[in-house]
Amino acid sequence: MAAHLKKRVYEEFSKVVQIPHEETPAKKLRLSKPSKSAALHIDLCKATNSTDALQYLLQFARKPVEVESVEGVVRILLEHYYKETDNSVRLKIASLLGLLSKTQGFSPDCIVDDAINTLGNEKSHQVLAQLLETLLVIGTQLPESPAVRQRMIEVAYKHLSDTYFGVRNKCLQLLGCLGMVDTPLTKDSEGQGTSSGGVRDVQSIISDYFGDQDPRVRTAALKAMLQLHDRGMKINQIIYDQACRLLADDYEQVRSAAVQMVWVLSQSYPESIVPIPSSNEEIRLVDDAFGKISHMVSDGSWMVRVQAAKTLGSMLQVSPHFLEQTLDKKLMSDLRRKRTAHERAKELFASGEFSSGRKWADDAPKEKLDTNTVYLIASGACGAFVHGLEDEMFEVRIAAVEALCQLARSSSSFAEKCLDFLVDMFNDEIEEVRLQSIHVLREISTHITLREDQLDTVLAVLEDSSRDIREALHELLCYTNVSTKECIQLTLLDLLKNLNKYPSDRNSVWKCLKFLGSRHPTLVLPLVPELLSTHPYFDTPEPDMDDPAYIAVLVLVFNAAKSCPTMPALFSDHTFRHYAYLRDSLSHLVPPLRLPGRKLVYCLDSADSGCGSGSVESAQLFLQQSLNRISTIQNLEAPGGQDLLNFTIRDLQRLGELQTELAGAADFCATYLRCQLLLMKALQEKLWNMAVPLCLKQNVMATAAAQQILEETYKLEFMYSGLESRQVATIHHVRLQAKALQLVLTARTRQGLDSLISSCEKFLQDVESFQRLFLTELPHLQDSFVEKLLELMPRLSSCKPVELVKILQTTLRQSGLLQLRLPEQIHRATANIIEPTGESDNPLKFTSGLVVALDIDATLEHVQDPQNTVKVQVLYPDGQSHVIHPKPGDFRKPGPDRHRLITQVYLSHTAWTEPSQIDVRLLLAYSSSSASLSSPSSASKLGWSDSIDSLPPPEASVEGTIPFSKPVKVYIMPKPARR
């Protein structure tokens, strides 16, 4: 019984209560980068001497620092700065503080107090100068803190009395970059100059150091004053006298900065009156400054001479007689003060001498120069441009030529006077000077007419071996006026000699004669019988139409005949036949003429000449209406929609041919609509409702369409300039649709799950990349394919590949056409190969195994960065293809958005049995990752070091080439080698 009770007690009081198991949260590990400040502190503590500490600091300077670590690093550096006794280590720490202050995203206002406090206890001049440099960096990073800037200015003012020139330089630089004119400064009583007043403005403080004993400080003072001017502060006129005195300084850097200072004041106060020293005469300040800077063209330093010559070109408000004095080494009478007749008679009476009558005209007034004569311009400034054009340094000569150009463009009378000097520069020994002189004369050609003696000098340059010089001279002759028919005849003969000596100049010479004839029709008229070898009674032999010289003469005559209706009466019968031939073959050189007994055939040129801006506006309206009409395609059935796209593409292509101003926009729209048409055909109903084995042909067509759409999108992105972010997003949207189509077709035609999984993952990455790149443009892509994909993105990321393919197929067929919005200007990159022409039937023969050089001459329009993107492709008959990258020096830039490629391509092949043709064309290389480093997101990750070496390479960058010129066929014949 007792045992039974004991058992019951144990049963009642020893119940086991099972507590439900609660899952303990898993511990999360947070990976953190090692602290830069802690690592630096450990390194500096390990240093046993100053050399080791300096080595650690140099190693630290090569590593990037994140924004969040900058403040801790600064504190560690300041702590070690106070402990360090070696000047070189403290100098490096001060330098690192300035570098860290430039870190993007870091506000350096927290270290201003420490930086200023260290200045008060620093004894080393070099470290003091570096600390002031750091303060300057901090001040430029805090433009919105006037109180902090004011403190820095007062610190700089306090240290201006330092004996070390470097400290004074940095103080002046700090005053120039941070100083404010309207804020007076009070210098401490221990500084210098307290007796002069106490409260002064920044300009007066800086101007005190124009007379410093160290030339580097004088230069720094002038540059600080110029910095104030660059920041929008008006410099006081009282500085002018001090700046003029510094023009005679012994130090060339001071004189160079003084030239800039005088120019700044002449532009600020051009009409102010300044007195001439030691006289009662007064002249305008801009004239006085012009005379003083003209004097500096004869300076002993070539750098100062270049500076002075460049400065003269921008002084357009100077008086004409001062301007003309720069072309004459003798002082003109206009710039010499004249004495009145009363003053001359008084002087003669005071001398007590009268005419004896023994000498003829001994009492006639004489021009007597004495020391009392007052000149309005320094005698050394006379003939400033003559001195500049005759200078021994070619840099000075180029600067003088450019200055003459700027002044001559604003004054036609000065342009006529400086014409002889510019023409003489065509004989300069340096090619760069000759080329610049030709360009300058081209710019002022509207103001001048060349005489025959000047034309002789100009035409002598056609013998130059440099192609750039000759083509620049052809361009000059296009826009030059000549005075007589003998000048026309002389120009034609020299151009024909040039054509005979350098046959590669053919197109340039023809273009030159086209403009020469159209500008001088009345001068060409009396030369026509001689030029065409016609006779009033006898028939003359018909010239050879294959002769480039004869074509050149015809181009001159036909362009002159356009403005001279009596000229066609002098033509012979074969001339009319030659005109018809040239009008068809060289329509860009031969104009349409109204010939007797023949109808005037109107072409595009004549139609365009009569239309104005109204036709361009109507064409723009038609273009916009065509795009608006496409928006109604959703309401049409598939055949009707395809027909509408076909008609619109045809209209846009024709519009681009008729209106060259809208050719880029029309081609861009036509290419985009062609992509939409291909996509529409690939998504036809019958293709997707049939089993795969029954529509193999349609699958192949759809695959080819998807590949073609991808190629067209790369053309849209990289061959057109002027695109905005909206258009780039639209192009990438079409490319994403093509990739989705490729993925669906791959899943339908190929077996294998692994390849499908990798393709699906790559496509999802492309969608995420699109969302990241065009986040701001997503609101404009409503009801589009991408918007529907982004809505389904959580489901797509977790579903199986087969289900993803089905979703893509449904989404593709349900998505509509995305409306295209055009920007202001779109230009298409184009190229035209001038040489070789592809017309020769004579093969280019060379020995097999060796090379032959083929000259390439092409013009490029609207190509961005041609040195890195333009390549030459040579395609041989056996299918081999060679791609050549031209050298950067082979590209010239004759005008905005225009480039010229002149290079040589080396051909080589095995022996052939008979000659055959090769294709030569230009390619435009592109890379989809070319703009990745320029994005704002990548720039923000760089930290305080400006290196991009640590950035990861962009993923899935696509590179390729696009043909953008018509292929030219060249006839070649590799011969077997002789044994």
Side-chain angles (χ1 to χ4, degrees), residues 489-509:
Q489 196 168 16
L490 182 65
T491 305
L492 177 62
L493 290 175
D494 280 0
L495 285 173
L496 294 180
K497 289 179 185 177
N498 174 21
L499 188 60
N500 186 41
K501 187 174 182 180
Y502 301 103
S504 59
D505 291 354
R506 182 180 64 179
N507 290 286
S508 182
V509 170

Side-chain angles (χ1 to χ4, degrees), residues 668 672 676 713 716 724-737 770 774 777 780-781 786 817-821:
F668 181 83
Y672 174 75
Q676 296 293 345
T713 56
L716 287 173
E724 298 173 357
S725 179
R726 178 88 61 89
Q727 288 79 42
V728 178
T730 307
I731 294 168
H732 279 256
H733 178 268
V734 179
R735 188 178 301 159
L736 205 60
Q737 287 178 298
F770 183 94
F774 303 106
E777 300 297 332
H780 304 292
L781 303 177
V786 169
L817 186 143
L818 191 61
Q819 185 69 16
L820 181 66
R821 188 179 71 86

Side-chain angles (χ1 to χ4, degrees), residues 264-301:
V264 164
L265 290 165
S266 72
Q267 302 304 302
S268 302
Y269 308 96
E271 300 301 328
S272 298
I273 303 299
V274 294
I276 296 177
S278 68
S279 75
N280 298 325
E281 299 291 329
E282 293 179 338
I283 59 173
R284 297 162 66 226
L285 189 144
V286 67
D287 291 339
D288 188 58
F290 186 81
K292 287 180 166 56
I293 295 177
S294 297
H295 184 66
M296 301 306 292
V297 178
S298 305
D299 192 84
S301 167

Side-chain angles (χ1 to χ4, degrees), residues 739 761-762 765-766 768-769 772-773 927-929 932 952-958:
K739 290 181 178 179
E761 289 176 353
K762 188 175 184 306
Q765 289 177 1
D766 291 338
E768 292 174 356
S769 176
R772 186 174 62 253
L773 288 174
S927 172
S928 61
S929 62
S932 59
E955 297 180 1
S957 61
V958 179

Side-chain angles (χ1 to χ4, degrees), residues 661-677:
E661 296 89 349
L662 297 176
D667 289 344
F668 181 83
C669 296
T671 307
Y672 174 75
L673 294 181
R674 194 179 301 114
C675 293
Q676 296 293 345
L677 179 61

